[in-house]
Amino acid sequence: MTTFPIDETAPPALDPARFRRLAHAAVDLVADYLAGVRAGPVFQPMTAGERAALMQEPLGKRGIGPEALLERFRTAVLPHAMGNGHPRFFGWVNSPPAPVGVLADFLAAALNPSCAGGDHAAIYVERAAVRWLMELIGFPTEGSMGLLASGGSTATLVALAAARHRAAADDGWNVRTDGLQRARPRLRIYVTQDAHSCIHKAAEILGLGVEAIHRVATDDDHRLDVGALRAAVAADRAAGERPFCVAASAGTVSTGVIDPLAELADLCAAERLWLHVDGAYGAVGAAVPTHRARYAGLERADSVVLDPHKWLSVPVECGAVLVRDGDLLRRAFSLVPDYLRTEIDRGFGGLPWYSEYGIQQTRGFRALKLWMTLQHLGRDGVSDLIARHLTLARHLAALVDAAPDLERLAAVELSIVCFRYAPARLRADDGALDRLNKRVMEDVQISGAAFLTQTTLRGRFALRACILHYATMEADIVALVDAVRDTGARLAAG
Ligand SMILES: *Cc1c(COP(=O)(O)O)cnc(C)c1O
């Protein structure tokens, strides 16, 4: 037998002393960065040269020392962060990373388990963290099952696959063996126009097709109109179609509206429809005692999606899917190849594996950052964090309402505020205001003073500010309003 000499310090190995030095340097870099975020611009666009330097860089034939790599990160990557770490970043529902979550990702990478399943700590950490999520929002823990996913989109795919599986089983066929190739009544899913695009993507991927999606009317506040839904379901049944799922929102991505979940739960129970609740952004609002009543009915959902990487500040990627009937979820996904077959509590077996409940086989240790962030906060900390953002959003709404040149475009239910710059002389001209506000948004983004994004509401361009940074203060809200008004006034004059 020939053996090869191994240099224990050759890449990817690192001499332990050198690793320790590098890790300390990395920690210093990160600590300085986090401490200095507020003083810098929110966002800095990249020059063509900077983009090319990263995109077109060839991979060298020989490796580079990690000290040089750290330096390259410091000069080429760090200065061009997305911006969501800044307390004046109000764009989308992208939160800053909770500092303990940053540490957790480092620790998780050091262990690097696959959380497909087995009898190791990471699995039980995920069990606990997911149960805490259920408890925080009032979702039943007994008999249900939940798991972490890359985000709301994949979590939704898992939930709707379970819904599809149940519908087929109810009708006496198995979608996993038959697929959707045979002629059968069309499965239909009900949403509002404000449903997140991930529902549409899931419908496409699941072979339902976008035409399976029945858009139901909303009331003046953008909430799903239950009467319209009842009529739509009846009409579809009369036409020989197969209604199977209502995908409601607990915090729409556009305005943060919560659909009437209790009424929907009643209707879904009566019609045996799967009630899916997309709470990717907003479900954790149910952790605030004064807000809990708005979520009544959530506890009767068949599935809920929520994204700890949104309002809970767990570093991306961390989404979660909660399913009321855990056994059903397993039937929808379990596929165990011989080389992975284990017995419960024998050898490496442990509990039924996570890989039997979802799409992924190898699964990262996402749970650690959720587990640590939730424990750092505690139940009161979660509630206080969310409540503070609810208050700041109402404050922003009040500032908008008080400003003669601003117009609010939607009610504020959670921490999203939609408005536009609308000086009196342009109020009647939606076209002009659409164009003006798009430029206001772009100029504010480039300015680095604050950052907000857009949505379309009743056909009108709206500036959209999402408040979910743990360090955002009243002064930051004022700065945002000033930035919009100053920019608007300058552009309207020019
Ligand atoms: C963000 C979001 C999603 C999609 O989740 P990802 O984590 O981006 O995949 C779905 N629904 C709502 C309401 C969202 O805010």
Side-chain angles (χ1 to χ4, degrees), residues 93-94 150-156 194-199 249-254 278-282 305 307 309-310 316 318-319 416 464:
V93 280
N94 290 125
S150 60
S153 302
T154 44
T156 298
D194 293 321
H196 192 274
S197 55
C198 74
I199 308 278
S249 296
T252 57
V253 71
S254 255
D278 180 357
Y281 150 63
V305 158
D307 268 350
H309 69 204
K310 288 187 174 150
V316 288
C318 190
I416 296 177
R464 172 170 165 270

Side-chain angles (χ1 to χ4, degrees), residues 135-455:
E135 290 166 357
L136 281 169
I137 66 166
F139 191 80
T141 54
E142 207 53 44
S144 55
M145 180 66 185
L147 66 160
L148 301 183
S150 60
S153 302
T154 44
T156 298
L157 189 56
V158 170
L160 296 188
R164 186 185 65 165
H165 190 83
R166 189 183 79 173
D170 279 356
D171 293 352
W173 58 287
N174 185 338
V175 68
R176 298 186 59 183
T177 46
D178 290 10
L180 295 173
Q181 309 267 31
R182 300 190 190 176
R184 288 199 167 91
R186 180 164 66 168
L187 291 161
R188 298 222 79 178
I189 178 168
Y190 302 83
V191 301
T192 71
Q193 66 184 11
D194 293 321
H196 192 274
S197 55
C198 74
I199 308 278
H200 298 241
K201 264 195 201 170
E204 292 173 16
I205 296 169
L206 290 168
L208 304 173
V210 167
E211 288 192 355
I213 296 176
H214 194 138
R215 283 190 184 200
V216 180
T218 50
D219 64 17
D220 290 342
D221 287 332
H222 300 271
R223 280 185 187 76
L224 192 152
D225 179 334
V226 180
L229 172 63
R230 189 175 289 112
V233 170
D236 283 345
R237 285 204 203 283
E241 312 219 308
R242 171 64 165 94
F244 83 107
C245 178
V246 175
S249 296
T252 57
V253 71
S254 255
T255 64
V257 149
I258 301 167
D259 285 326
L261 302 179
E263 281 176 78
L264 291 174
D266 290 341
L267 178 69
C268 287
E271 295 277 346
R272 189 152 170 92
L273 298 171
W274 181 282
L275 177 58
H276 173 71
V277 176
D278 180 357
Y281 150 63
V284 285
V288 181
T290 53
H291 245 61
R292 177 59 77 84
R294 298 184 186 217
Y295 294 83
L298 182 75
E299 71 287 351
R300 286 190 280 154
D302 292 293
S303 55
V304 175
V305 158
L306 82 168
D307 268 350
H309 69 204
K310 288 187 174 150
W311 218 343
L312 286 172
S313 279
V314 173
V316 288
E317 299 170 345
C318 190
V321 54
L322 314 177
V323 175
R324 185 69 192 88
D325 183 345
D327 294 335
L328 172 86
L329 183 63
R330 194 174 178 193
R331 287 198 298 280
F333 280 100
S334 178
L335 202 165
V336 186
D338 284 341
Y339 68 95
L340 286 174
R341 201 164 296 283
T342 56
E343 264 184 76
I344 290 179
D345 270 345
R346 306 282 293 255
F348 188 65
L351 300 169
W353 284 33
Y354 277 115
S355 50
E356 290 189 65
Y357 293 89
I359 299 163
Q360 283 181 271
Q361 183 61 44
T362 303
R363 299 174 71 252
F365 194 5
R366 292 193 175 99
L368 191 66
K369 55 194 173 185
L370 175 61
W371 188 75
M372 286 178 67
T373 304
L374 286 178
Q375 288 185 93
H376 188 205
L377 284 163
R379 280 185 286 137
D380 288 351
V382 170
S383 163
D384 291 350
L385 176 76
I386 307 290
R388 197 160 69 239
H389 293 145
L390 297 170
T391 303
L392 285 170
R394 284 195 294 271
H395 182 61
L396 173 55
L399 291 178
V400 167
D401 293 347
D405 51 358
L406 296 178
E407 180 186 8
R408 192 144 57 83
L409 294 178
V412 173
E413 176 134 64
L414 297 175
S415 72
I416 296 177
V417 182
C418 296
F419 63 106
R420 64 180 174 179
Y421 180 73
R425 65 183 173 82
L426 290 178
R427 284 261 165 143
D429 190 345
D430 275 337
L433 286 176
D434 286 355
R435 288 189 295 278
L436 176 60
N437 277 275
K438 180 168 176 293
R439 290 208 47 208
V440 169
M441 175 189 77
E442 290 161 354
D443 278 23
V444 169
Q445 288 175 348
I446 298 292
S447 77
F451 193 104
L452 81 180
T453 49
Q454 68 184 71
T455 190

